[in-house]
Amino acid sequence: TEVVLAVSGLGARSDRGTTALAGVDLVVHAGEILGIAGVGGNGQSELAECLLGLRTPTAGEIRIAGRDVSREGPGRTRAAGVSYVPEDRRREGLVLAFSVADNLILGKQARAPYARAGVQDHGAIRREGARLAQEFDVRPPDPRAIAGNLSGGNQQKVVLGRELSEEPRLIIVSQPSRGLDIAATEYVHDRLLEQRARGAAVLLISSELDEVRALSDRIAVMYEGRIVATLSAAEATEERLGLLMAGHRPEGA
């Protein structure tokens, strides 16, 4: 199927100036979930930031649907059809003091129908907020509710509603079930599988092996800023993944 995301030789530095990514290569196809497994702190966050245009790579290339976005900012990356569900929904995914409706249109608030001639249309924002709150089962389904007062599961639904509502081409999702109960986790997983069935490419970053194995078509293991192996779902036993995540390289690597 179509290659949506192609990364080759990607390098990047951490905020402390140390090497965070060293020659990362990966490909994600349309209608596929590629899981990134690994112990936290092995370059997963920096990889997501590079793909989103939030961190400038030091080497390599990032292509989305054939277009080189390696040096483009987050605005143009988003315009290429990329959505992001961050690992920390409270700090990175939401403005907690804003309403559910305002959070559901973040990033789109300056364009029609939510604004005209630079003036926000609060009625249009509330209507879209009510529609998405209903579609994504946000409880209470009140677009005027304050996001910071919602449970963790409902906050994650607000983030999903915003990021999935425009049928993105590529979805980057990091630690999607962190801090969620079983019901909310199942809801999030079902939504990601729906996106795969729709034909979206999904890059799933998670430190939860059960989550990665349950959702992924292929699994790439990160260790010390590198992809040390990429396995099919059938090959990715818990034992094999555990060894790779601990730094045991496959034979011949």
Side-chain angles (χ1 to χ4, degrees):
T1 58
E2 175 196 1
V3 173
V4 175
L5 173 66
V7 177
S8 58
L10 189 66
R13 293 195 174 277
S14 70
D15 292 339
R16 293 180 294 177
T18 59
T19 299
L21 301 175
V24 170
D25 298 317
L26 61 85
V27 171
V28 191
H29 300 85
E32 176 186 44
I33 297 178
L34 175 67
I36 302 291
V39 177
N42 278 279
Q44 298 95 320
S45 297
E46 289 84 358
L47 173 61
E49 290 170 1
C50 286
L51 297 179
L52 291 158
L54 296 170
R55 184 179 297 270
T56 303
T58 56
E61 185 177 78
I62 302 167
R63 288 189 172 272
I64 296 174
R67 173 182 165 188
D68 187 352
V69 298
S70 308
R71 301 296 186 275
E72 296 190 354
R76 297 190 69 178
T77 303
R78 287 258 182 186
V82 181
S83 285
Y84 179 44
V85 179
E87 60 181 278
D88 189 336
R89 56 185 166 271
R90 293 179 63 86
R91 190 179 63 160
E92 300 175 282
L94 298 166
V95 180
L96 296 176
F98 283 13
S99 70
V100 166
D102 286 332
N103 274 284
L104 282 165
I105 58 96
L106 279 178
K108 303 177 280 188
Q109 69 273 12
R111 68 178 197 239
Y114 313 115
R116 301 181 186 280
V119 178
Q120 285 194 322
D121 184 335
H122 296 287
I125 292 172
R126 279 195 299 272
R127 287 191 294 273
E128 179 67 357
R131 183 185 74 81
L132 289 176
Q134 182 91 20
E135 180 179 341
F136 285 84
D137 194 31
V138 178
R139 300 178 189 179
D142 181 359
R144 296 166 297 183
I146 300 303
N149 294 337
L150 302 181
S151 68
N154 284 293
Q155 289 177 350
Q156 192 74 323
K157 290 176 182 179
V158 173
V159 177
L160 286 172
R162 181 183 67 235
E163 298 302 314
L164 305 184
S165 61
E166 295 195 321
E167 300 192 341
R169 174 180 287 166
L170 170 65
I171 303 159
I172 301 167
V173 54
S174 183
Q175 315 298 343
S177 63
R178 179 172 287 172
L180 303 186
D181 62 23
I182 293 173
T185 296
E186 185 175 326
Y187 180 89
V188 171
H189 289 179
D190 286 345
R191 284 294 187 170
L192 294 177
L193 292 171
E194 285 176 7
Q195 292 297 310
R196 179 185 69 175
R198 179 181 64 78
V202 181
L203 183 70
L204 167 67
I205 301 171
S206 178
S207 57
E208 297 292 333
L209 270 187
D210 288 344
E211 180 169 65
V212 172
R213 294 181 66 210
L215 296 177
S216 305
D217 299 293
R218 293 183 300 124
I219 299 174
V221 181
M222 284 195 78
Y223 180 74
E224 294 186 343
R226 299 179 183 273
I227 302 290
V228 296
T230 302
L231 310 173
S232 69
E235 296 173 315
T237 64
E238 186 172 347
E239 179 182 8
R240 193 170 183 184
L241 288 173
L243 288 170
L244 289 166
M245 289 166 62
H248 294 272
R249 300 296 178 96
E251 291 183 11

